[in-house]
Amino acid sequence: MAALVALLICSASQAVLLPLEGVQSISNGFGHSCAIGAGGTVQCWGKNDSGQLGNGSTLSSATPVRVVGISSGASAVASGKLHSCAVVAAAAVCWGANDNGQLGNGGLVDSLVPVPVQGLSSGVSAIAVGDFSSCAIVNGGVRCWGFNGYGSLGNGGDEDSPIPTQVTGLTAGVTAISAGVLHACAIVNGGALCWGDNFSGQVGDGSSTQIVTNPVTVAGLGSGIAAIGTGAIHSCAVGNNGKVSCWGDNSAGQLGTGNQTSSLEPVTVQGLGTIAPQSIMLGAVHTCMRDVQGGLHCWGDGSYGQLGNGGFESQLLPVDVVGYASGTLAIGARGFSSCALRSDHRIACWGFNAYGQLGDGSSEFRTSPVDVIGLGSAVSAIGAGSSHSCAVVNGAVQCWGYNGEGELGNGSETLYTSIAAPVINIPATATAVAGGYDHTCAIIAGGVWCWGLNDSGQLGNGGTVSSST
């Protein structure tokens, strides 16, 4: 599984600039991260107990280290729990832990440097890494290797494989691949197929089979999938036919069907009428959708006001977010709150607000959108962390919410602030910002700067001292 960046804390005397200019992509694993830089090199940092940094040692590093043997040509990188993989010149290589054969080189011995995945020396276009297994798109088909106890390899069996095995039936037409902890899904000829762990119905084929060892079609979706999203224990997809479908747990009405009946296969979200969906975002147990006109609609758990409809009640059908019938550019949902970026480039948020993460000057839960105070109308990017939020405003960064680890970057020891405050010591124009659990990172003048918690070297500055700037 890949994630972007977590939140960091830095000392007031320490501005942190990572030497990662020209970054093309980034992937976060369980305790380490990797990035593709200019020219197709790969660098990794963080935990390295199984060699997942690929630099020939097991020493963890708080600064990026060059992955041995990849001097150019990398087009994709994926970080798992204790191993990593990359696509280099259309070939697959992996490094790190190999106790389940997840490196794909035919053995079960960990490797501190990249090793070629057996049989995948050409034709690889994408790679996905789960906790204990790996998959790749090869000449339009899918092959997987590693742990297979829950059918994660999709080859019809349950035995681990230290070399790539053909996923049953997926020999052509695959355009995307995603690996979860113990299951995987692929887009094939515009349709969705999934396999592996199905204890919560996440495979979506309509069966109660808990382990699905061969790919099955997600029931009823057909082809033409335009967008897909996953929450805690439910999933939703937007089709080119204008329908929104969801499946999985429905205890809070997050499937949008008008009842609380869970479903093992996609069911159509009701109550949208002539609304044309465009994108979808899932929180823990609620769902929000943006339509083609920029209108916002949410359903499911509303106990923290996260539906934005003016109440705290859960809703079994979509409800309109108050004041947002059109004009939004983007929507975000995570946990128990939601935010929207409007066409005037202002931000509004609603829902859970115990740490002031809504940015309205209070710690009160909000059942309808409230403007984030102090950002003005020049917002160009937003990023949400676990309990804090940040925005790029006129090239500067402002943050609000929880600050127990210095993740707001304002040099203060105040536990939280409910009003946006500038991040100090920003030396140049910022273009992007991302919040993690207890640290924050931003792209500034093409480089990467981080602040907040640094106990595992996540600030990437060569030390483990946290920083509040």
Side-chain angles (χ1 to χ4, degrees):
M1 296 182 294
L4 275 186
V5 186
L7 304 180
L8 307 179
I9 305 176
C10 307
S11 69
S13 63
Q14 199 171 21
V16 182
L17 178 62
L18 298 184
L20 292 179
E21 297 181 2
V23 171
Q24 300 174 24
S25 64
I26 187 169
S27 173
N28 268 23
F30 183 76
H32 73 291
S33 301
C34 296
I36 297 176
T41 60
V42 179
Q43 298 186 54
C44 299
W45 61 95
K47 287 188 175 182
N48 196 30
D49 49 341
S50 295
Q52 57 264 50
L53 300 189
N55 68 334
S57 79
T58 56
L59 296 176
S60 297
S61 177
T63 57
V65 294
R66 185 70 60 87
V67 174
V68 173
I70 304 179
S71 59
S72 64
S75 59
V77 65
S79 307
K81 186 174 183 180
L82 295 173
H83 77 292
S84 306
C85 295
V87 178
V88 182
V93 296
C94 296
W95 58 95
N98 198 29
D99 50 334
N100 296 111
Q102 57 263 54
L103 301 189
N105 66 335
L108 297 175
V109 179
D110 296 354
S111 179
L112 307 182
V113 297
V115 292
V117 177
Q118 188 169 318
L120 301 189
S121 59
S122 64
V124 181
S125 58
I127 200 158
V129 173
D131 274 18
F132 312 104
S133 62
S134 309
C135 294
I137 299 178
V138 187
N139 295 321
V142 179
R143 299 183 190 179
C144 297
W145 57 96
F147 181 69
N148 199 26
Y150 289 81
S152 307
L153 304 187
N155 63 355
D158 60 3
E159 294 183 2
D160 297 354
S161 177
I163 60 173
T165 63
Q166 179 68 53
V167 176
T168 304
L170 300 192
T171 58
V174 181
T175 55
I177 181 76
S178 177
V181 174
L182 294 170
H183 78 290
C185 293
I187 297 178
V188 186
N189 296 321
L193 286 84
C194 300
W195 61 93
D197 177 28
N198 193 37
F199 276 73
S200 298
Q202 58 264 52
V203 168
D205 68 334
S207 77
S208 57
T209 304
Q210 295 180 332
I211 297 175
V212 178
T213 60
N214 287 312
V216 292
T217 300
V218 178
L221 290 186
S223 60
I225 297 172
I228 195 166
T230 56
I233 44 179
H234 75 295
S235 305
C236 298
V238 177
N240 288 329
N241 58 3
K243 292 173 58 177
V244 180
S245 302
C246 298
W247 60 98
D249 181 73
N250 195 31
S251 58
Q254 61 264 47
L255 301 190
T257 56
N259 57 49
Q260 291 174 276
T261 304
S262 298
S263 179
L264 300 176
E265 63 182 43
V267 289
T268 302
V269 174
Q270 302 296 310
L272 292 177
T274 60
I275 295 171
Q278 186 172 73
S279 60
I280 198 160
M281 187 71 69
L282 282 59
V285 282
H286 77 288
T287 307
C288 289
M289 184 202 75
R290 176 178 174 268
D291 64 39
V292 295
Q293 302 299 322
L296 303 181
H297 319 271
C298 299
W299 58 93
D301 179 38
S303 56
Y304 298 102
Q306 65 264 47
L307 302 186
N309 68 326
F312 288 106
E313 296 80 17
S314 296
Q315 298 291 330
L316 306 182
L317 293 171
V319 292
D320 296 339
V321 175
V322 174
Y324 285 79
S326 63
T328 58
L329 301 177
I331 186 171
R334 184 172 180 174
F336 304 103
S337 62
S338 309
C339 291
L341 176 62
R342 304 193 310 232
S343 57
D344 63 359
H345 291 275
R346 294 179 184 269
I347 301 174
C349 299
W350 60 97
F352 189 73
N353 195 30
Y355 298 109
Q357 57 263 57
L358 302 188
D360 69 332
S362 79
S363 58
E364 298 178 13
F365 299 169
R366 298 297 187 180
T367 62
S368 59
V370 292
D371 287 343
V372 177
I373 295 174
L375 293 182
S377 60
V379 177
S380 59
I382 57 176
S386 178
S387 297
H388 75 293
S389 303
C390 297
V392 176
V393 187
N394 282 323
V397 181
Q398 298 192 44
C399 298
W400 60 96
Y402 184 66
N403 193 39
E405 303 295 344
E407 53 264 60
L408 301 189
N410 60 9
S412 170
E413 296 181 358
T414 302
L415 186 59
Y416 69 87
T417 177
S418 56
I419 298 177
V423 174
I424 64 175
N425 294 346
I426 295 293
T429 300
T431 55
V433 64
Y437 189 79
D438 278 319
H439 74 294
T440 310
C441 290
I443 298 176
I444 301 171
V448 181
W449 290 67
C450 299
W451 57 95
L453 186 65
N454 198 28
D455 58 341
S456 296
Q458 56 263 57
L459 299 191
N461 66 328
T464 56
V465 178
S466 298
S467 177
S468 59
T469 64

